[in-house]
């Protein structure tokens, strides 16, 4: 950088280079290392969005197969661990198949859809099934 009262061609070239580097860094998925413009436009990578969709589906399946227990309430940590097992069985083959942020986002989606309600401690709420017929 330099201070000048006049803008020269090399100043413009450097500004363009800096913008490109910043955009590339902002759009790079930290997991894959690939450029993902979804990260800039939504704040979530496309891979993360796919995982969240899978988590939503798995939570629905767990609630459906354990409906009576789900209506009484599922422990946050227990459901988290059960989902980790499901991802391992599904062959995701990753040591960390999804993050807690992705898990929380999936629960938020289901709560907004009226499928579940979250009660109690904000960090580890009880998850109660409200309706399996809520709109997707």
């Amino acid at each position: 950088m330099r201070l000048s009262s006049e803008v020269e061609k090399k100043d413009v070239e450097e500004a363009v280079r800096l913008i490109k580097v910043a955009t590339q860094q902002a759009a790079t998925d930290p997991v894959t290392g690939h450029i993902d413009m979804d990260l800039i436009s939504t704040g979530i990578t496309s891979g993360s969005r796919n995982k969240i969709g899978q988590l939503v589906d798995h939570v629905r399946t767990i609630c459906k197969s354990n409906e009576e227990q789900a209506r009484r309430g599922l422990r946050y940590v227990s459901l988290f661990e059960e989902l980790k097992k499901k991802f391992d069985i599904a062959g995701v083959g990753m040591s960390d198949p999804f993050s807690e942020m992705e898990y929380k986002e999936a629960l938020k989606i289901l709560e907004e859809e009226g499928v579940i309600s979250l009660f109690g401690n904000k960090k580890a709420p009880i998850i109660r099934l409200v309706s399996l017929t809520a709109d997707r």
Side-chain angles (χ1 to χ4, degrees):
M1 286 287 168
R2 65 187 189 87
L3 182 59
S4 175
S5 58
E6 295 180 16
V7 176
E8 297 177 13
K9 183 179 178 186
K10 66 181 179 180
D11 298 324
V12 173
E13 290 168 348
E14 178 63 7
V16 169
R17 186 192 70 76
L18 289 171
I19 290 171
K20 286 180 179 179
V21 168
T23 302
Q24 183 177 359
Q25 286 179 347
T28 300
D29 181 337
V31 174
T32 65
H34 294 104
I35 302 252
D36 186 347
M37 292 310 287
D38 282 351
L39 186 55
I40 287 180
S41 61
T42 66
I44 299 174
T45 65
S46 60
S48 186
R49 188 175 4 279
N50 290 338
K51 286 182 195 178
I52 291 167
Q54 290 175 343
L55 285 167
V56 167
D57 292 342
H58 282 304
V59 171
R60 284 181 192 274
T61 301
I62 290 168
C63 286
K64 191 173 189 175
S65 64
N66 303 307
E67 187 171 351
E68 189 176 313
Q69 176 63 39
R71 289 198 185 279
R72 285 193 308 260
L74 302 170
R75 290 181 50 233
Y76 178 89
V77 174
S78 299
L79 182 58
F80 186 82
E81 293 302 321
E82 187 168 346
L83 288 166
K84 288 266 188 192
K85 288 178 191 169
K86 282 203 177 279
F87 268 68
D88 287 342
I89 292 168
V92 175
M94 298 166 64
S95 61
D96 195 19
F98 59 88
S99 69
E100 188 170 4
M101 185 278 304
E102 292 163 335
Y103 173 59
K104 285 181 178 181
E105 186 63 27
L107 294 178
K108 180 179 161 195
I109 289 168
L110 288 165
E111 186 175 37
E112 289 171 354
E113 291 177 355
V115 175
I116 63 170
S117 287
L118 303 175
F119 292 95
N121 184 335
K122 264 190 158 180
K123 291 186 179 182
I126 298 297
I127 299 140
R128 288 193 185 142
L129 175 64
V130 175
S131 172
L132 285 170
T133 59
D135 288 335
R136 285 187 125 199

